[in-house]
């Protein structure tokens, strides 16, 4: 795990330095066309159930009253926000969460407290590791917003189909963890590769 943390610190620091012009440019764009804060901050559940604040670029209008799941084409997502989400640029501020140790590059995506509370005793193994920016479940559901947009009841489909499947995949990741698996997931993520069938 020391190797994993060393990788996280090194790559997140280099990423923040190299991407600083991009981060500043996106910040200026958001401020110019989306009145309100630049960053979206949300409490998430981290390692051992510790709560932390996760940072993302804001992609929605302020003071919306939408559900906890996001669906492609929602009116609460701004035009600029839609582009940022499609290109996954809204996730870039999470490099800071990785650098300071709230998150890792690879791991289960951090849940909001309401979802983490649903985990049964066996499923709580997911909370034994740092949550990740990407992972096996993230790659399988890379088009999650499009999938949910096709459902009659997106919230119900997420809670009863997608979320349980993510828990299953995340438990497998933890049980089969190796630094080599992390490097494969990192490579699949940055190259936009399809998740191999054996991990689905």
């Amino acid at each position: 795990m020391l190797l994993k943390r060393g990788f996280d610190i090194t790559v997140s620091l280099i990423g923040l330095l190299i991407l600083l012009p991009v981060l500043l440019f996106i910040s200026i764009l958001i401020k110019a066309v989306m009145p309100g804060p630049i960053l979206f901050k949300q409490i998430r559940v981290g390692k051992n159930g510790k709560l932390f604040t996760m940072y993302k670029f804001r992609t929605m209008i302020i003071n919306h009253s939408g559900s906890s799941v996001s669906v492609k084409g929602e009116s609460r997502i701004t035009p600029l926000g839609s582009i940022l989400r499609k290109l996954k640029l809204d996730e870039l501020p999470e490099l800071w969460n990785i650098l300071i140790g709230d998150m890792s590059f690879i791991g289960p995506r951090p849940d909001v407290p309401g979802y983490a509370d649903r985990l049964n005793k066996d499923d709580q193994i997911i909370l034994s590791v740092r949550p990740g920016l990407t992972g096996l479940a993230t790659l399988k559901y890379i088009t999650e917003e499009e999938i949910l947009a096709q459902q009659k009841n997106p919230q119900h489909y997420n809670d009863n189909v997608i979320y349980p499947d993510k828990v299953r995949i995340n438990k497998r990741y933890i049980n089969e963890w190796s630094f080599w698996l992390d490097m494969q997931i990192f490579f699949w993520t940055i190259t936009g590769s399809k998740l191999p069938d054996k991990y689905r």
Side-chain angles (χ1 to χ4, degrees), residues 97-112:
N97 286 118
I98 295 172
L99 180 63
I100 64 177
D102 292 331
M103 294 175 60
S104 174
F105 271 105
I106 314 299
R109 284 295 293 172
D111 287 322
V112 295

Side-chain angles (χ1 to χ4, degrees), residues 1 4 10 15 28 30 34 38 41 44 76 83 150 157 164 196 198:
M1 285 296 182
K4 181 182 178 75
T10 302
I28 292 171
I30 292 174
M34 294 168 55
I38 294 171
K41 305 175 185 179
R44 298 290 181 103
R76 59 177 175 161
I83 295 173
Q150 299 171 5
Y157 190 82
K198 67 177 182 178

Side-chain angles (χ1 to χ4, degrees), residues 141-154:
Y141 289 101
I142 194 69
T143 59
E144 181 177 335
E145 291 188 2
E146 288 86 347
I147 294 172
L148 290 173
Q150 299 171 5
Q151 308 306 316
K152 183 177 297 185
N153 188 331

Side-chain angles (χ1 to χ4, degrees), residues 106-111 126 129-135 138 170 173-174:
I106 314 299
R109 284 295 293 172
D111 287 322
I126 292 173
V129 299
R130 286 188 178 90
L133 177 64
T134 186
T138 303
N170 287 328
Y173 163 76
I174 293 170

